[in-house]
Amino acid sequence: MKKAIVSPSLLAADFADFGGALKIIEAAGASWAHLDVMDGHFVPNLTFGWQLVKSLRGRSALFLDVHLMVADPGRFIRDFAEAGADGITFHAEAAVHSAKLLSEIKALGKKAGISVVPSTPVSMLEELLPMADLVLVMTVNPGFGGQVLIPGCLEKVKKLAAIRQERGLDFLISVDGGINGETALQARSLGADVLVMGSSFFGAEDQAAIVKAAGG
């Protein structure tokens, strides 16, 4: 298997020290940082906005992987792009014109991602895959960290990997929710490229060992 991209989620970090969290991620050898933006509408939780991305951008060269778990994501794309996000992912379930949003993200010079919750089938994304740089498979119901991976969601990774190969596409497949040393390897064996790790990363005594074990 090729080397995986480990993207530790700041949702599991100390909210009083996000700058310190970036240093932990860098020291562990990971190259991405995942930022879960929640609005209390699309998901039942609140986190942070584009201002945090702007503050962190000046402190690190990590790839800032912004995941918009918000209603009407089109309202926020430019703000996060201008704040310094490297990649912006929104939910297919929250957007009426997903193709338009993917194009807008790319036009702003950012990597464009689209995500689906556990109850949404891969078939909903069929026409959008050629436009996406990344497809994020939620392996838990979004909103809170520390959940256990829903095993059936990994079947979506397998399906996406098969479609990617059959159609000659090059999008990355990302997984988010309940990813730890064991489930990371399961996801990678099915075709996942990006592993979003929250509590399993920040709760570990040796974060570098976690990244290495996941194949990052």
Side-chain angles (χ1 to χ4, degrees):
M1 290 185 289
K2 65 180 180 181
K3 189 174 182 179
I5 297 170
V6 176
S7 185
S9 173
L10 296 186
L11 184 64
D14 180 355
F15 270 41
D17 188 14
F18 284 125
L22 293 186
K23 292 179 181 179
I24 291 171
I25 293 171
E26 291 169 346
S31 57
W32 286 27
H34 189 84
L35 290 91
D36 290 302
V37 179
M38 304 181 189
D39 65 352
H41 294 284
F42 182 70
V43 292
N45 198 2
L46 287 167
T47 52
F48 36 72
W50 61 264
Q51 296 93 338
L52 177 63
V53 174
K54 184 176 181 179
S55 294
L56 296 180
R57 179 72 289 160
R59 298 189 176 205
S60 175
L62 288 170
F63 184 98
L64 297 183
D65 176 27
V66 172
H67 178 194
L68 297 180
M69 288 184 272
V70 302
D72 193 9
R75 293 182 300 153
F76 305 104
I77 285 171
R78 180 169 292 276
D79 287 337
F80 278 95
E82 292 179 350
D86 294 293
I88 300 174
T89 297
F90 64 91
H91 273 266
E93 302 89 354
V96 176
H97 303 292
S98 294
K100 179 175 179 287
L101 295 189
L102 288 169
S103 294
E104 288 180 2
I105 294 169
K106 289 183 173 237
L108 290 165
K110 310 300 179 179
K111 296 297 184 182
I114 191 161
S115 181
V116 289
V117 300
S119 60
T120 299
V122 166
S123 59
M124 184 176 179
L125 303 176
E126 290 270 0
E127 301 302 318
L128 300 168
L129 295 178
M131 305 180 65
D133 296 307
L134 179 145
V135 177
L136 173 58
V137 175
M138 291 302 300
T139 44
V140 299
N141 288 302
F144 297 92
Q147 299 184 63
V148 177
L149 180 144
I150 302 170
C153 293
L154 291 181
E155 186 64 25
K156 294 182 188 179
V157 175
K158 184 177 180 181
K159 289 179 180 178
L160 285 166
I163 293 170
R164 179 171 61 184
Q165 182 172 2
E166 290 167 6
R167 295 172 64 181
L169 302 175
D170 61 358
F171 58 84
L172 297 175
I173 300 172
S174 179
V175 286
D176 182 0
I179 302 299
N180 53 39
E182 179 181 350
T183 56
L185 294 179
Q186 292 173 7
R188 286 191 66 214
S189 71
L190 295 173
D193 309 287
V194 182
L195 307 168
V196 179
M197 306 179 79
S199 53
S200 63
F201 176 84
F202 283 105
E205 291 186 7
D206 186 345
Q207 284 92 4
I210 290 291
V211 172
K212 185 176 181 180

